[in-house]
């Protein structure tokens, strides 16, 4: 294995370290090295039983790691970035996960200064450990349908938190099952019998000393999952639990205890900001999530040899690395291209987010407040917030689908060994999967994008001036409605990008026709909306990738050869996507049938060949330490078989039992040394 | 939940019991009830800790179950069919799995009468427990590359079994890790220094009394996997282990101990028969494999309510069942259609197989024997064996991909709760996944199909008369090469089927052009071959489904309404598939662009609406007992939330530990009653 990977690396001169620095910055890479060194030296982070242990043991280890990590943070003075890096390296969800993310964020963003003092301080010091309890057994996506109530009791100035039905039970709440003693609970606010919709309340759920559930609180872990088993997702039921007035997070809305009146929220924008940030962050992560699988599969397929090439000359008589088979290349290399595409798109989203936050905070006080409406109701043509919101929805959906489904493609590309946990892909994939469902189910988010594009279409149809990229491409499309398109998709990059824009515009106006002119029911258009959202988001990815390669920061940082390789990746990603969606490209007239055939049979096949020699160095540039990947197949040194063998025969507790194999005998294990085995490790 | 499912069932009058009988026969359904009753009453088969237990515990339980199952078979005199049903109901791979399948089959098919007496008898009585050891660490697909050697030693008339390198270690061998004491080992036969390719040898690996590995045998379990963790897949290394002459399975080839000469195999057809049967069986199973997921998701989505329909009249004010959303329908209902399509196709394959076995056995003695060549080298146009072989390869690949990927679609359609193990989909999916890799990797099998179609094209091009369906459709295509096609795909079923045939023929002649005329390298055509294989196999499925509905056994057995519903499922499956592959249909001229647009935007959407009311009854007709599904979401009575809650709060061992949540404290579990909990269950 070792020499094979070396010779792969010799075949290309892509400067790995330089490319890594360009992708992540030198500082980030040094940070990673520094944090890794600390983690590697701590026994509790040793991963060698991760793939073997059962749920209770894994949870126990995860808790030990979470605690130690917190201690290390304090000890080494690690900042937020350092912690993120540490979590990435450890690569498993842990029992403090939701405390450190949504609990702290919600307290910070939605609490008043008084509440910060009361709750946030303690939470930051881990004197209280919290979670974010929104979803219920009966309702997830539809937050307005939540059944938990928070009834204002004017007499004693308290809220009564109550779960009226079984389906009102909070469910899926990360860190709640065993760990948290506090929760931010989303509940329907009721004042004087009148409902005011879901609001956040801070509720203590376990005793701070004994850690037993408080009276009238029923709380526990919801059980095993497809992945995420190091996390204690929990359930939570309340039987008329009283909390003081100050426990309703009151930065945006509150109840005036003097008048018993509801005080309306200040600014919708700020509330939606968090969701947009979270989704943008999912986009940014998706590239590296996928890159783990691509790194593992690419390295392994460069080493794995199977069959001789039927047409190979006699001189190359040995078995062929499976990465040489075009059927393996066509599965892996477009995904390799996608990792870069998603990375640049994620960076673009984060920039976009930062810019729009600046604008909003400028206008925060001026903004008209209408919490009920949601951003899709705002005026699209002129509103960069709506633009950002839609982009974050569409791209979250597209990017997490590409990453999740791509990981499974990578796993399967490894053949039988891909199925072993030691491949490192399966467990990672299983933990990542919920990203397609949470923070907006990927199918449902497409409705938000469609809504935004419909608004944009209306504005353009009315003749309003384009105010952002979306209205711009719609306007251009309309302007050419008597001429049609003529894009040189294979010859010119700009035209390739423009063809994606054209398709989006075409589908947008089709949707507009169905909805606004033919008055079709919303529900009958959901499938069209999903396609529309996907088309728009693919356009955004292609455009972001293209612009990243054009930008001066790229041309300054990278040598000609590297840029050429990245450019090929851009073309592979765009043309391969176009080919997969080809019917929409024909139907919209963005391309001819002939162009698609050429793209598929010539250009894409040629690009695969050209990128092939650089594949290993390109995945190297993602710079995953072996410790992070925890994969036999993806080892940097290529010692795949040695490592598989070592883990199976040395680390595997099942091998310390001896069975009685005969059906008549009721003895199952004649000898069971698995406990000794464990303690020896 | 209960009333909701009831009202779903009230909306349709599809006669569930009758449809089940039609699909499976009355006898099979009664058999299932009978076996189920026995299993349900045995404590060892109680599934309530399946989703919770760790690897060692799960394996222990699986072993207990395997033993008990064997005892029950003897006790109740269960036949082969009964055992299959029992295994289906239990739904987990078990430690006797490979003993009962490949070990027995290989001994039976490839052993001489003497060897039957020596090994098969004992194996049938579980005096020896075996496995089938072909794959090695370094080689799977490429069987000819196996490195384990069996060297003939003329002096003492033995074979010396040896693993010359680490990569020669047998790997992935089911039932070997802990359970088996025998193995059929595929090893390179070497006589007088000359290699004769891989052959099967019977090798003892563990002591029959102590169950310890024999001397010079290194054997163990390969560790945890993405699924299949109740099975002990194993590794196996030999250090010059001697076995007697009689241990080489000698029905088809052998070494003559007198002359030290290799005796050539008798008939290739018989050897290939088993592989074809196994693949055909995978096709047959794929329908019900997928149907489990579809049953669970359909029932759950009929109960799950989320949001109000924006356009619904005021009278239907409550929340909508998510199955009413077209975006949910378009994911689930084509899969529902696919379950039936695959079921009928599987039945067709098994009939096809039985017929061709009859023919072969008629000709067996006459057949010219050439083991080296493999069926793809035989004359395609006139050979139903080659036809069967290709169909089994292509359909195995297509059907297992549809089933595996469909299960994940079903899981995701259930939103957050789909991620819980209690959904029952995830664990089932994880166990099924290797089917896409074993018995011929799905990507690689496509090369076999392409090879066959190329041969067929050559025969047709030469003007030979069509001798089977494949050469028939190729001939018809050529005959119309000056006229093109004009299929009324939406108006006429025959034309819809013909459009699929047309596309296959078009792609076949494209491949022929590239390979035979343009002399493109084989490797450069793999992607085209994969598409070709998929196209051909989709054609076969559509055709089988169509023919099943036409056949008199269907029209006799089912009433008009049920046939109408099945007919809609046929159209949904065919048109939805056509739409997904639309670019190939345009390019081949099988349809116009307009037809595809109409199919997608009108016909498919209309079919979804029409099938929707029957969805629950249709999945009911698959007749899965709750005990088999082991799913909260898929319960027949719809008590989803009650069951989720019960499992989480009553059966979950993690809830019997109490943690110390604070990072400074080194105590992890303050209280751990998980052991008591287990013993109480
Ligand atoms: C591992 C994990 C961790 C989680 N952690 C937390 C946590 O810490 N805190 C918390 O509050 N929640 C958490 N959740 C819950 C998560 O946010 C929800 O599961 C998610 O929002 C999806 O909602 P749902 O499950 O209700 O799906 P549903 O809305 O019930 O979706 C079911 C199906 O219906 C479809 N559907 C629903 N509505 C529509 C519509 N209007 N149009 C078309 N289709 C529709 C969906 O596409 C889906 O196919 C977690 C979930 C998981 C899996
Ligand atoms: C759960 C499980 C149980 C198993 N049980 C048994 C058992 O009991 N006994 C036993 O003997 N084996 C068993 N196997 C092994 C199984 O049969 C092999 O894993 C399977 O045949 C695939 O072979 P491979 O792993 O060598 O894949 P590889 O051939 O290494 O495939 C790797 C990749 O290369 C590609 N590839 C390889 N060759 C080509 C080519 N010529 N053209 C194009 N692409 C190519 C493949 O598509 C794949 O993407 C089991 C496997 C699993 C996962």
């Amino acid at each position: 294995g070792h020499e094979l990977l070396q010779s792969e690396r010799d075949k290309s001169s892509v400067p790995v370290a330089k490319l890594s620095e360009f992708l992540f910055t030198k500082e980030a890479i040094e940070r990673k090295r520094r944090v890794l060194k600390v983690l590697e030296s701590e026994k509790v982070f040793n991963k060698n039983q991760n793939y073997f242990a059962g749920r209770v043991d894994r949870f126990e280890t995860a808790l030990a790691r979470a605690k130690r990590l917190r201690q290390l943070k304090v000890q080494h003075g690690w900042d937020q970035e350092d912690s993120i890096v540490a979590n990435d390296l450890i690569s498993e969800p842990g029992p403090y996960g939701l405390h450190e993310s949504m609990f702290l964020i919600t307290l910070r963003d939605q609490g008043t200064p008084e509440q910060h003092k009361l709750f946030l301080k303690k939470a930051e010091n881990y004197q209280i450990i919290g979670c974010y309890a929104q979803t219920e057994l009966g309702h997830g996506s539809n937050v307005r349908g939540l059944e938990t109530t928070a009834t204002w009791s004017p007499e004693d100035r308290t809220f009564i938190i109550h779960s009226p039905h079984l389906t009102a039970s909070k469910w899926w709440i990360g860190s709640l099952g065993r760990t948290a003693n506090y929760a931010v609970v989303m509940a329907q606010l009721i004042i004087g019998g009148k409902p005011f919709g879901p609001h956040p309340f801070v509720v203590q759920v376990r005793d701070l000393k004994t850690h037993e559930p408080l009276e009238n609180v029923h709380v526990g872990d919801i059980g095993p999952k497809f992945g995420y088993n190091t996390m204690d997702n929990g359930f939570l039921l309340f039987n008329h639990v009283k909390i003081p007035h100050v426990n309703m997070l009151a930065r945006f809305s509150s109840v005036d205890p003097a008048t018993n009146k509801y005080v309306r929220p200040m600014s919708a924008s700020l509330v939606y900001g968090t969701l947009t940030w979270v989704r943008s962050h999912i986009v940014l992560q998706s590239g590296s999530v996928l890159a783990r699988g691509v790194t593992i599969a690419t390295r392994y397929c460069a080493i794995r040899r199977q069959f001789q090439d039927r047409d190979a000359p006699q001189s190359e008589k040995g078995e062929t690395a499976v990465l040489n088979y075009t059927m393996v290349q066509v599965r892996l290399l477009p995904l390799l291209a996608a990792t870069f595409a998603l990375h640049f798109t994620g960076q673009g989203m984060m920039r976009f987010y930062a810019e729009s936050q600046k604008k909003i905070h400028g206008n925060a006080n001026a903004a008209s407040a209408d919490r009920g409406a949601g951003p899709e109701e705002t005026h699209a043509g002129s509103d960069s917030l709506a633009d950002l919101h839609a982009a974050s929805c569409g791209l979250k959906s597209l990017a997490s689908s590409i990453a999740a489904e791509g990981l499974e493609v990578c796993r399967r590309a490894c053949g039988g060994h891909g199925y072993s946990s030691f491949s490192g892909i399966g467990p990672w994939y299983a933990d990542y999967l919920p990203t397609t469902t949470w923070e907006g189910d990927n199918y449902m988010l497409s409705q938000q994008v469609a809504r935004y594009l419909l608004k944009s279409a209306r504005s353009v149809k009315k003749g309003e001036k384009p105010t952002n990229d979306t209205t711009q491409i719609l306007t251009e499309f309309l302007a050419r409605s008597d001429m049609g398109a003529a894009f040189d998709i294979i010859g010119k990059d700009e035209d390739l990008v423009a063809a994606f824009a054209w398709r989006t515009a075409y589908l947008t106006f089709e949707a507009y026709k169905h909805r606004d002119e033919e008055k079709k029911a919303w529900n009958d258009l959901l499938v069209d909306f999903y396609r529309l959202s996907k088309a728009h988001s693919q356009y955004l990815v292609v455009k972001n990738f293209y612009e990243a390669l054009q930008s001066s920061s790229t041309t300054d940082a990278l040598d000609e050869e590297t840029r050429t390789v990245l450019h090929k990746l851009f073309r592979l990603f765009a043309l391969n996507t176009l080919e997969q969606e080809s019917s929409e490209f024909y139907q919209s007239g963005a391309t001819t049938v002939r162009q698609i055939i050429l793209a598929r049979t010539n250009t894409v096949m040629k690009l695969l060949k050209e990128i092939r020699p650089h594949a290993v160095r390109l995945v190297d540039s993602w710079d995953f330490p072996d410790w992070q990947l925890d994969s036999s197949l993806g080892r940097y040194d290529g010692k795949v078989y040695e490592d598989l063998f070592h883990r199976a025969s040395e680390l595997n507790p099942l091998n310390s039992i001896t069975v009685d194999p005969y059906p008549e005998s009721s003895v199952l294990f004649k000898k069971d040394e698995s406990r000794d085995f464990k303690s020896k490790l």
Side-chain angles (χ1 to χ4, degrees), chain A:
Chain A
H2 186 64
E3 323 75 55
L4 290 173
L5 274 192
Q6 193 48 55
S7 81
E8 286 284 341
R9 290 179 178 120
D10 293 344
K11 276 192 280 183
S12 159
S13 56
V14 167
V16 171
K18 207 151 157 221
L19 182 52
S20 303
E21 276 173 30
F22 167 69
L23 292 171
F24 311 111
T25 78
K26 195 172 185 138
E27 187 208 344
I29 290 171
E30 279 164 5
R31 186 194 299 274
K32 177 157 66 182
R33 298 277 175 278
R34 171 166 51 77
V35 173
L36 177 61
K37 217 163 153 187
V38 176
L39 298 179
E40 273 180 326
S41 69
E42 299 265 335
K43 197 163 174 242
V44 70
F45 298 112
N46 184 318
K47 299 187 182 189
N48 78 24
Q49 285 298 296
N50 278 6
Y51 298 140
F52 296 97
R55 176 95 206 281
V56 175
D57 289 345
R58 288 203 70 189
F59 177 71
E60 186 171 15
T61 308
L63 181 62
R65 287 173 183 169
K67 290 186 176 199
R68 184 67 191 136
L69 197 59
R70 166 69 192 161
Q71 292 164 8
L72 288 172
K73 273 182 220 173
V74 175
Q75 185 180 323
H76 294 279
W78 282 352
D79 62 17
Q80 183 65 9
E81 281 296 305
D82 292 325
S83 304
I84 291 172
V85 167
N87 279 318
D88 278 353
L89 289 168
I90 294 170
S91 299
E92 72 180 19
Y96 290 161
L98 274 284
H99 171 80
E100 289 169 350
S101 55
M102 283 300 282
F103 186 60
L104 290 178
I105 289 170
T106 312
L107 291 179
R108 201 172 289 137
D109 287 0
Q110 308 203 29
T112 59
E114 182 194 3
Q115 292 172 322
H116 285 174
K117 226 155 105 193
L118 208 58
F119 305 117
L120 182 60
K121 265 277 154 55
K122 286 187 192 148
E124 283 173 342
N125 293 327
Y126 292 73
Q127 293 164 285
I128 63 177
I129 318 275
C131 60
Y132 181 80
Q134 177 170 303
T135 303
E136 296 174 357
L137 196 44
H139 287 89
S141 317
N142 181 15
V143 179
R144 277 156 213 262
L146 294 179
E147 297 175 89
T148 304
T149 52
T151 309
W152 173 243
S153 156
E155 306 81 54
D156 54 1
R157 302 187 163 195
T158 61
F159 294 99
I160 300 165
I161 309 289
H162 185 58
S163 317
H165 313 287
L166 179 67
T167 47
S169 174
K170 293 293 171 186
W171 205 265
W172 281 114
I173 312 308
S175 303
L176 168 68
R178 301 280 84 200
T179 312
N181 43 33
Y182 266 74
V184 167
V185 174
M186 289 297 278
Q188 297 285 357
L189 173 63
I190 295 174
I191 310 174
K194 223 186 120 198
F196 286 81
H199 286 77
F201 298 85
V202 179
V203 189
Q204 184 178 346
V205 296
R206 287 188 172 95
D207 186 87
L208 297 188
K209 278 248 166 65
T210 66
H211 204 63
E212 296 295 337
L214 297 187
E215 229 188 311
N216 293 315
V217 171
H218 187 42
V219 57
D221 174 88
I222 64 164
K225 295 149 291 189
F226 196 64
Y228 239 74
N229 284 307
T230 44
M231 169 65 92
D232 53 327
N233 293 91
F235 62 80
L236 178 59
L237 277 164
F238 298 103
N239 179 23
H240 299 283
V241 170
K242 287 209 166 202
I243 56 169
H245 176 262
V246 69
N247 282 30
M248 172 172 173
L249 289 176
R251 176 140 168 242
F252 297 120
S253 47
S254 55
V255 176
D256 183 336
T259 62
N260 300 319
K261 283 259 161 67
Y262 179 63
V263 183
R264 301 207 89 217
M266 195 176 77
S267 160
S269 331
L270 292 168
V271 178
Y272 281 97
T274 308
L275 291 179
T276 305
W277 184 86
V278 170
R279 281 194 288 262
S280 303
H281 206 252
I282 290 175
V283 179
L284 181 62
Q285 282 183 313
S286 63
S288 77
V289 165
L290 178 58
R292 276 175 83 136
V294 174
T295 299
I296 292 168
T298 301
R299 286 181 183 158
Y300 175 65
C301 287
I303 280 165
R304 181 69 170 177
R305 312 189 137 212
Q306 207 81 247
F307 300 98
Q308 287 175 242
D309 186 341
R310 292 166 60 112
D311 300 316
Q314 200 52 17
S315 60
E316 298 171 20
K317 242 188 52 201
E319 285 187 298
T320 316
V322 298
L323 191 55
N324 292 335
Y325 292 116
T326 54
M327 194 61 225
V328 172
Q329 291 170 10
V330 82
R331 288 182 278 157
L332 289 182
L333 301 185
L335 291 176
L336 174 60
T339 62
F340 291 95
L342 294 174
H343 181 75
F344 293 125
T345 304
Q347 289 188 327
M349 275 305 290
M350 295 314 275
R351 268 197 308 274
F352 191 7
Y353 177 79
E355 281 162 24
S356 86
Q357 280 302 95
K358 252 193 243 153
K359 274 195 219 158
I360 291 167
H361 283 278
N363 301 339
N365 301 331
S368 90
D370 183 359
R371 188 167 198 262
E376 66 274 23
E377 305 296 327
T378 59
H379 186 66
S382 62
D383 197 338
S384 83
L385 182 67
D387 204 26
L388 175 67
H389 171 78
S392 80
C393 289
L395 285 170
K396 181 273 180 183
S397 173
L398 178 70
S400 61
S401 292
I402 292 178
E405 280 145 31
L407 285 174
E408 172 60 13
V409 171
C410 292
R411 195 191 63 68
R412 239 181 266 179
C414 299
H417 292 324
Y419 194 65
S420 167
S421 299
F422 307 149
S423 76
I425 304 178
W428 177 243
Y429 165 73
D431 281 352
Y432 184 70
L433 268 185
T435 314
T436 64
T437 300
W438 66 34
E439 306 304 342
D441 170 271
N442 282 0
Y443 291 99
M444 292 181 47
L445 283 178
S446 61
Q447 297 182 43
Q448 309 272 335
V449 182
R451 207 165 279 156
Y452 163 75
L453 290 173
L454 283 174
K455 293 249 166 194
S456 303
R458 282 174 207 136
S459 132
V460 170
K461 278 274 187 187
K462 270 192 247 154
E464 290 174 17
K465 271 238 164 107
T467 52
N468 59 18
D469 184 66
T470 309
T471 40
Q472 186 69 40
I473 64 172
L474 294 180
T475 306
E476 280 166 21
F477 178 86
L478 272 197
R480 292 196 62 92
S481 54
D482 292 341
M483 287 169 273
F487 298 121
D488 182 8
I489 55 163
I490 298 178
K492 288 203 201 113
D493 293 342
E494 314 84 79
D495 278 22
L496 185 50
V497 179
F500 276 86
W502 182 272
R503 162 183 172 236
T504 296
Y506 168 81
L507 292 174
T508 302
F509 287 115
E510 284 290 299
Y512 172 85
K513 194 174 72 193
H514 294 319
R515 181 67 181 164
D516 287 22
E517 293 172 3
E518 300 165 6
K519 308 282 178 207
K520 281 205 189 178
W522 186 261
N523 186 26
D524 289 341
L525 291 171
L526 295 184
V527 181
D528 288 344
F529 290 163
Y530 182 72
R531 287 166 173 262
L532 173 58
S533 170
K534 195 172 177 191
H536 179 58
S537 308
Q538 286 173 337
Y539 159 64
L540 292 178
V541 175
V542 167
K543 181 166 150 270
N544 269 284
F545 199 169
Y546 177 68
E547 285 173 358
L549 296 188
Q550 298 298 309
S551 84
S552 60
S553 64
T554 309
T555 43
D556 291 353
L558 296 175
D559 60 293
E560 174 89 32
E561 194 197 340
T562 310
R563 276 184 286 131
T564 307
V565 174
L566 288 181
H567 178 244
K568 287 186 202 302
L569 288 170
F570 159 73
R571 286 177 33 96
L572 178 61
F573 179 79
L575 288 169
N576 187 64
T577 304
L578 183 145
E579 196 276 314
Q580 281 175 346
E581 312 285 348
S582 51
S583 72
E584 290 178 5
F585 282 90
Y586 304 162
Q587 285 177 24
S588 68
T591 63
T592 67
V593 173
R594 182 80 195 133
Q595 282 175 312
I596 303 274
I597 298 180
L598 285 171
R600 175 168 73 74
T601 56
N602 286 8
T603 323
V604 166
M605 296 308 287
K606 220 172 118 212
L607 286 167
L608 295 178
K609 252 195 195 124
E610 291 169 355
I611 293 167
R612 163 69 187 88
H614 307 289
V616 170
R617 278 187 177 245
L618 286 170
V619 302
D620 286 350
S621 76
W622 274 95
D623 192 48
F624 290 109
D626 278 344
W627 195 84
Q628 183 173 9
L629 293 180
D630 195 18
S631 163
S632 297
L633 307 188
R635 286 172 67 100
Y636 184 85
D637 67 5
K639 295 195 171 157
V640 167
Y641 299 120
E642 294 85 341
D643 197 54
L644 279 173
F645 200 84
H646 169 72
R647 296 195 196 220
S649 66
E650 305 300 317
L651 303 177
N652 184 355
L654 195 64
N655 285 327
S656 51
I657 59 116
T658 305
V659 312
D660 177 327
Y662 303 110
E664 313 78 41
S665 155
S666 65
V667 176
L668 298 172
F669 293 172
K670 290 159 92 100
K671 229 169 44 189
D672 181 354
E673 300 167 335
S674 58
R675 214 149 281 158
D676 304 2
F677 176 87
K678 239 174 151 184
S679 61
K680 259 191 315 203
L681 278 170

